[in-house]
Amino acid sequence: MNRSPLINNMQVKLMLLFFVFALVPLCSVGALAIRTAEGLILDMATNRIRHIAMDKAALLERWIYERKADLEVMAGSSILRSMDVGEITPYLELVRNKYQVYDQIAVAARNGDIICRSSRHAAELPRENRSTQAPVDELYMSDIRLSPNRNESYFLISAPLLGDAGDPRGAVSATVGTGTILSVVLQVSLGKTGECYLVDRNGTFLAHKEPERILHENIAQLESFKNIFNTQKARITYIDYRGIEVIGASTMVGGTDWALVVEQDSEEAFRPVAQLRRTIVLVILLSVLGALVSAWLLSRYLATPIRRLSEAANSLAEGDFQRINIETTERHDEVGLLYRAFGKMARQLQDRQQRLEERVTRREAELKESDVRLKATQQAAARSQQLASLGQLAAGVAHEIRTPLTSLKMFLQSIESEMEIASEFGEDFQVAMGQIQRMEATINRFLDFARPQTPVFTQVSVADLIEDSLLVVGPRAKQQETVVTTRIADSLPSIRGDRKQLEEALLNLLVNGLEALSLRGELSVSAVHEIDPGKTAGRDFIRIDVTDTGPGIAKETIPCLFDPFFTTKATGTGLGLSIVYATLRRHGGSVAVESGVGQGATFSLFIPVEFEGMLEEDGKDTDR
């Protein structure tokens, strides 16, 4: 079984070998560096988040402890223990204004009735029935709740008011809004995505930077809740309540069933790793490029001379000395010696081959020269024979027909001028004169083809040219009931040409079209201005199309239509289309044919708007 040429290529093998030994260690080191960086960043981010969570929890515990201490101090005040409203009211206002953390401070009797209240807001928070919340004789802190008349959460702390004998006389309570927690505790510096929030053991948000989540959303069924309260299987990364992978840490707030959670999006935390990964990938890509270039240069240095020598040997075996490319080398190793020996052998064989080829070339040149002279002689003889035959034919027609025809024409004209012709013979007389003119036209066509006149160029209106030509063939069209239509584009530019010759060419096409039609056929003439981007190099042309609905022309006949004396008519001379072709050539234009059996025929004249001399190419175009 033949192995792939690519596998057998020495240069490819050397490149692959160098590539593997150079890049495999680099890629391994890069992958190890990325993994190590990911581990280090994860450890750093985790430690930082844990420390923040512990610091925030400690801060929150101390803050709650201070609030409880405040209530115990107020409860120990003799003013509050006196239960005198007049003294209590200014005292509560003074305390609330001094601490600025309490939304409301109230003193309640033992039965739970509010004796006095100091509130920051006009709308009071709902009354707390102290007797239903906890024993009167101990310090109490409620769960976080949501105010019904303000979009704010709060919790309540109360302390008992004891008499001189230690008996409970009532309680002092204060409501603390979580706004203080949000501004002091929950603000963290962990990039753009870091956040800190409080949840209880039921998974309900107690404090959050988005107030609409507080006491309204629950995460008990989410992975983050399980990770927060399941300390045995806590994960460093998990999916949070937003459905985003985060790095998080949580800690319980002492003295409460609250958990303080600190989280940061993994994408932001690992952004340095992503930057490191891009850097390593860029380094690896540059190393790959450098390795490929180095491997290519090394393999080229080793394998290219051997490959060139092999190619030269194959060319030498085939006798193709032009493909032998053995350059002079300054290498002094074995490859250089082999190059020089092979080059010497090739030059000797080439000299011998060249001498043989020179002999053969001289013989071939002599034969070609003889063949060219022979063909030129044959063509000149054939052309001379054609011209001679045409001249003899024209001379014979002119001698045999023109003289008696002229006499007959003059005789009939003298009869018409000297004697009155009866009305019943007038039509016959005109028919006779028409046949004489037709014979004169045939003679002139022979003579014109044999001795074409030099065109006299003037500005010719295309519309007038078509109109005058249709006037000439109009009677015949009416006679055979042929419908003649014209489509002439507006604002056609005038052309520069011989009006008489162009009109004769157009008349030839119109007459041919009428002759191809039976009764009630259709003949159409159209003229448009177009630019031919083909062999005429984008010159402006007037295109005149003559289309008939006749039987059409066979495909194999079309290439011969413009040859002299070729005709498909029983009485035709075969010179009409030849004259059309010659006239268009003299005007720098061309003629084209589109037809098929049973499809009618369209003859197209391409006449340049500005004549610039005779076309170098054949004006006849039967492929359009």
Side-chain angles (χ1 to χ4, degrees):
M1 181 181 295
N2 293 329
R3 301 180 66 185
S4 172
L6 188 61
I7 298 177
N8 294 328
N9 191 295
M10 178 184 294
Q11 186 171 357
V12 173
K13 291 180 180 179
L14 290 173
M15 289 180 64
L16 291 176
L17 187 63
F18 186 86
F19 185 80
V20 169
F21 279 100
L23 293 182
V24 168
L26 179 63
C27 295
S28 301
V29 171
L32 180 61
I34 293 175
R35 293 190 61 182
T36 303
E38 288 178 347
L40 291 175
I41 289 179
L42 181 60
D43 292 340
M44 292 172 59
T46 303
N47 292 332
R48 183 182 181 188
I49 290 173
R50 285 176 178 171
H51 282 93
I52 291 176
M54 294 174 62
D55 292 343
K56 294 294 182 180
L59 179 61
L60 184 57
E61 289 176 9
R62 185 170 63 252
W63 186 82
I64 294 174
Y65 173 78
E66 291 175 354
R67 303 289 76 78
K68 290 180 179 180
D70 291 343
L71 266 293
E72 289 179 343
V73 170
M74 286 188 288
S77 172
S78 59
I79 296 175
L80 297 185
R81 292 170 60 186
S82 68
M83 304 299 286
D84 185 351
V85 176
E87 294 181 359
I88 292 175
T89 300
Y91 177 78
L92 295 181
E93 289 290 335
L94 178 63
V95 172
R96 186 179 57 79
N97 292 330
K98 180 181 179 180
Y99 287 99
Q100 295 291 321
V101 295
Y102 302 109
D103 291 336
Q104 176 179 279
I105 304 176
V107 176
R110 184 174 182 178
N111 60 2
D113 294 335
I114 300 297
I115 297 175
C116 182
R117 176 187 290 120
S118 175
S119 179
R120 180 181 300 173
H121 305 284
E124 297 179 352
L125 293 174
R127 291 188 178 186
E128 296 289 344
N129 189 342
R130 178 65 182 79
S131 61
T132 62
Q133 298 297 324
V136 177
D137 56 351
E138 66 180 17
L139 188 67
Y140 166 78
M141 187 177 73
S142 71
D143 295 331
I144 293 180
R145 305 169 186 177
L146 186 64
S147 173
N149 55 355
R150 302 206 321 271
N151 187 19
E152 183 180 1
S153 60
Y154 71 98
F155 64 93
L156 182 139
I157 303 176
S158 68
L161 293 174
L162 303 177
D164 294 336
D167 57 320
R169 302 186 60 186
V172 58
S173 62
T175 57
V176 184
T178 58
T180 303
I181 301 176
L182 290 174
S183 61
V184 177
V185 179
L186 302 185
Q187 298 297 324
V188 294
S189 299
L190 282 175
K192 296 181 179 180
T193 62
E195 63 175 354
C196 179
Y197 57 87
L198 281 176
V199 293
D200 59 16
R201 284 196 173 273
N202 296 323
T204 303
F205 284 111
L206 302 178
H208 197 279
K209 65 181 180 181
E210 299 176 6
E212 63 272 10
R213 295 183 184 271
I214 299 175
L215 299 177
H216 285 90
E217 291 190 15
N218 190 287
I219 61 172
Q221 303 301 323
L222 302 179
E223 179 184 353
S224 58
F225 177 80
K226 300 175 183 178
N227 194 73
I228 292 169
F229 290 98
N230 189 357
T231 57
Q232 294 181 353
K233 298 182 179 179
R235 297 174 55 188
I236 298 176
T237 61
Y238 54 89
I239 304 299
D240 70 350
Y241 60 93
R242 301 168 298 168
I244 299 174
E245 185 179 23
V246 297
I247 299 175
S250 60
T251 182
M252 299 301 296
V253 179
T256 68
D257 64 346
W258 304 346
L260 187 141
V261 184
V262 179
E263 295 175 341
Q264 184 182 18
D265 290 1
S266 297
E267 181 181 356
E268 183 181 21
F270 285 104
R271 192 166 295 162
V273 177
Q275 181 65 33
L276 176 62
R277 184 182 292 108
R278 287 192 293 270
T279 303
I280 292 177
V281 170
L282 179 61
V283 171
I284 290 176
L285 290 177
L286 293 176
S287 301
V288 168
L289 181 61
L292 287 175
V293 173
S294 301
W296 180 78
L297 292 175
L298 178 61
S299 60
R300 186 174 182 271
Y301 179 78
L302 296 177
T304 300
I306 300 175
R307 186 179 65 252
R308 288 181 178 176
L309 190 62
S310 176
E311 292 173 354
N314 291 332
S315 300
L316 184 62
E318 296 173 359
D320 187 359
F321 294 94
Q322 299 297 328
R323 292 172 54 190
I324 297 178
N325 186 19
I326 299 297
E327 300 176 356
T328 302
T329 178
E330 297 181 356
R331 295 177 61 169
H332 300 286
D333 54 6
E334 290 78 2
V335 174
L337 295 175
L338 183 59
Y339 259 52
R340 286 187 284 275
F342 188 90
K344 182 178 180 180
M345 178 186 66
R347 285 191 294 273
Q348 292 176 351
L349 293 176
Q350 186 177 9
D351 292 341
R352 183 177 299 177
Q353 182 73 16
Q354 286 179 350
R355 287 194 297 270
L356 293 175
E357 289 179 353
E358 288 176 357
R359 295 180 183 177
V360 174
T361 300
R362 285 196 297 270
R363 295 291 184 265
E364 289 180 349
E366 293 173 357
L367 292 175
K368 287 182 180 179
E369 184 177 358
S370 301
D371 185 60
V372 169
R373 287 198 297 267
L374 179 61
K375 288 182 178 179
T377 303
Q378 290 175 345
Q379 291 176 355
R383 182 63 178 170
S384 299
Q385 185 177 1
Q386 291 178 353
L387 294 177
S389 299
L390 183 60
Q392 292 175 0
L393 178 62
V397 170
H399 179 74
E400 296 295 335
I401 299 177
R402 200 169 198 180
T403 301
L405 187 62
T406 302
S407 301
L408 180 59
K409 180 179 179 181
M410 294 176 61
F411 175 72
L412 292 177
Q413 288 175 346
S414 63
I415 291 176
E416 183 181 14
S417 61
E418 295 179 3
M419 57 185 300
E420 183 178 356
I421 301 175
S423 58
E424 60 272 18
F425 299 111
E427 184 176 354
D428 296 337
F429 180 81
Q430 293 299 327
V431 170
M433 289 297 292
Q435 293 299 321
I436 291 175
Q437 292 174 357
R438 181 181 177 184
M439 286 186 287
E440 283 185 335
T442 301
I443 294 172
N444 291 332
R445 187 174 290 109
F446 275 109
L447 295 178
D448 289 343
F449 183 78
R451 300 189 299 274
Q453 298 181 356
T454 302
V456 179
F457 291 94
T458 59
Q459 293 299 121
V460 180
S461 171
V462 177
D464 293 343
L465 180 67
I466 295 175
E467 182 179 357
D468 293 345
S469 300
L470 291 177
L471 287 176
V472 175
V473 299
R476 179 168 180 174
K478 292 180 180 179
Q479 182 180 2
Q480 63 185 47
E481 300 180 9
T482 298
V483 178
V484 180
T485 60
T486 59
R487 294 188 302 275
I488 302 176
D490 297 333
S491 303
L492 283 179
S494 59
I495 58 177
R496 184 170 177 79
D498 189 309
R499 181 184 180 89
K500 179 180 178 182
Q501 294 186 12
L502 292 176
E503 184 175 354
E504 181 181 0
L506 184 57
L507 281 173
N508 276 327
L509 296 182
L510 292 173
V511 171
N512 286 348
L514 290 174
E515 290 177 351
L517 293 173
S518 59
L519 291 177
R520 298 181 181 84
E522 182 178 352
L523 182 68
S524 63
V525 182
S526 63
V528 294
H529 179 208
E530 66 178 29
I531 296 178
D532 183 2
K535 59 186 179 183
T536 51
R539 291 196 297 166
D540 288 4
F541 275 78
I542 298 298
R543 174 175 177 169
I544 302 176
D545 292 338
V546 178
T547 304
D548 62 71
T549 58
I553 305 171
K555 296 293 184 182
E556 60 273 11
T557 304
I558 291 179
C560 304
L561 288 178
F562 301 96
D563 293 340
F565 309 112
F566 178 83
T567 181
T568 58
K569 304 174 186 177
T571 59
T573 62
L575 293 177
L577 292 179
S578 299
I579 294 175
V580 173
Y581 165 66
T583 300
L584 266 294
R585 284 283 295 163
R586 289 193 294 271
H587 285 76
S590 62
V591 57
V593 183
E594 289 184 0
S595 183
V597 177
Q599 301 176 2
T602 298
F603 285 81
S604 300
L605 302 180
F606 296 89
I607 309 172
V609 175
E610 292 294 335
F611 178 63
E612 299 177 357
M614 292 289 289
L615 287 176
E616 295 298 331
E617 303 178 12
D618 191 353
K620 179 171 58 175
D621 185 358
T622 60
D623 296 330
R624 294 180 62 89

